[in-house]
Amino acid sequence: KQCGEMSTKPADSPAPERYAALALQIATACVNDCPDRAAARDRMAASLVRVGASVAASKGFIRQFSGIDVKLVVLPEYFLTGFPLGESIPVWRDKAALAIDGPEYRALADIAEKSQVYLAGNAYEVDPHFPELYFQTCFIIAPTRETVLRYRRMISLSAPTPYDVWDRYLEIYGLDGVFPVADTPIGRLAAIASEEILYPEITRCVVMRGAEVILHPTSEPGSAERTIKETCRLARAIENQVFVVSANTATIDDIPIPPYTCSAMSKIVDYNGHILAEAAQGGEAFN
């Protein structure tokens, strides 16, 4: 299989149309040094233009040279903003968190529609039910522009989580909203973020709800040695018999951390733990 070619239908079902999944390893232009909200939004807008161009060009390149159509694209963790470096919840919420109906999500829907892909990624987000907080959210946007999945990260180093408002969160969203799975023509899709690949219970919860493909936006240190997250990507795929599509950042720019600290290791893993495609360190790449 090439270009992350995947098929998720049972053996006794009609053969599905082949498609490629794309883990897009792109640079993150962090907004921490932006002096105000307006400057941060301008930087995000520029990043969205770059993302849209990369998605369209990558899809065209893969189609031309493999004959397989890209129908699923996964972007890295917090690809529009980077992560908070000591900013308070109110400051980061104002500077970096997206509104559910805001211009950034509309731009992402434009990308999904224009390239006719399911577009997945991860962003900080404001929920109108909890206006004093923000959540780190994995999303999937369909080619129809509809957001078909919104998963709020359950275990986070630098963001509030549903656990912080657990009773109210369950009252509003129920368990369907805690561990969502999107039933789509390209398979049943679920998402987890970054370090959550280390916790088998989180993946198992969505697999028990029918997930066949686990989308894993991440921003993690790359290494020539096998890391714990790398081991867990393979383990989650094998033990749950699912595909894992993991997209890492190419660089994290505009913060003091060396930019190539979090780079490489974007990959697509099949249900036997075989790596179908992988990106090396060295910058932006599709695989």
Side-chain angles (χ1 to χ4, degrees):
K1 295 186 177 181
Q2 299 178 358
C3 300
E5 177 194 347
M6 304 198 314
S7 169
T8 60
K9 297 299 182 183
D12 57 353
S13 297
E17 181 182 356
R18 295 187 305 166
Y19 76 91
L22 167 62
L24 189 57
Q25 184 170 288
I26 58 172
T28 295
C30 301
V31 302
N32 307 75
D33 67 342
C34 292
D36 53 33
R37 176 186 174 89
R41 301 295 152 162
D42 287 344
R43 187 169 292 177
M44 289 184 212
S47 294
L48 284 162
V49 171
R50 179 165 48 86
V51 168
S54 294
V55 169
S58 299
K59 176 169 178 166
F61 187 95
I62 292 170
R63 179 67 179 177
Q64 179 180 356
F65 287 97
S66 73
I68 304 170
D69 196 20
V70 173
K71 295 189 176 181
L72 172 63
V73 177
V74 181
L75 302 170
E77 184 183 18
Y78 44 65
F79 65 97
L80 281 180
T81 61
F83 58 95
L85 287 171
E87 290 89 347
S88 67
I89 288 177
V91 168
W92 193 250
R93 183 186 63 223
D94 180 65
K95 179 182 283 190
L98 312 186
I100 289 173
D101 58 353
E104 295 83 12
Y105 274 123
R106 291 196 294 272
L108 289 164
D110 289 341
I111 294 169
E113 181 182 42
K114 180 179 179 180
S115 289
Q116 284 296 288
V117 296
Y118 284 84
L119 183 65
N122 177 276
Y124 295 98
E125 178 182 272
V126 176
D127 185 322
H129 296 290
F130 305 97
E132 72 282 6
L133 301 177
Y134 61 80
F135 296 110
Q136 192 179 352
T137 301
C138 293
F139 61 83
I140 304 174
I141 302 173
T144 59
R145 304 179 61 86
E146 179 187 3
T147 300
V148 296
L149 183 139
R150 176 168 274 116
Y151 164 71
R152 270 61 182 271
R153 180 170 172 170
M154 299 293 290
I155 299 173
S156 177
L157 300 176
S158 56
T161 76
Y163 282 135
D164 295 309
V165 286
W166 186 240
D167 290 343
R168 177 65 173 154
Y169 200 89
L170 283 179
E171 180 183 330
I172 296 168
Y173 294 108
L175 283 176
D176 287 349
V178 174
F179 296 112
V181 176
D183 193 354
T184 77
I186 63 170
R188 291 185 287 274
L189 312 178
I192 61 175
S194 193
E195 281 87 4
E196 291 186 319
I197 199 74
L198 304 180
Y199 301 94
E201 297 85 357
I202 295 178
T203 302
R204 182 56 56 88
C205 282
V206 292
V207 169
M208 289 175 66
R209 299 178 61 82
E212 300 167 312
V213 184
I214 305 299
L215 313 182
H216 180 230
T218 188
S219 182
E220 63 187 71
S223 174
E225 302 295 327
R226 175 163 290 184
T227 66
I228 185 172
K229 288 186 184 179
E230 178 68 1
T231 297
C232 287
R233 267 187 285 272
L234 306 184
R236 299 295 87 83
I238 295 167
E239 69 196 8
N240 293 292
Q241 290 291 279
V242 293
F243 290 91
V244 174
V245 184
S246 183
N248 196 19
T249 43
T251 57
I252 44 173
D253 301 326
D254 305 306
I255 57 174
I257 296 172
Y260 283 93
T261 298
C262 294
S263 186
M265 305 181 75
S266 300
K267 59 178 49 64
I268 299 170
V269 184
D270 77 4
Y271 46 82
N272 289 318
H274 297 149
I275 296 173
L276 303 181
E278 183 173 18
Q281 191 173 33
E284 298 187 327
F286 65 82
N287 68 99

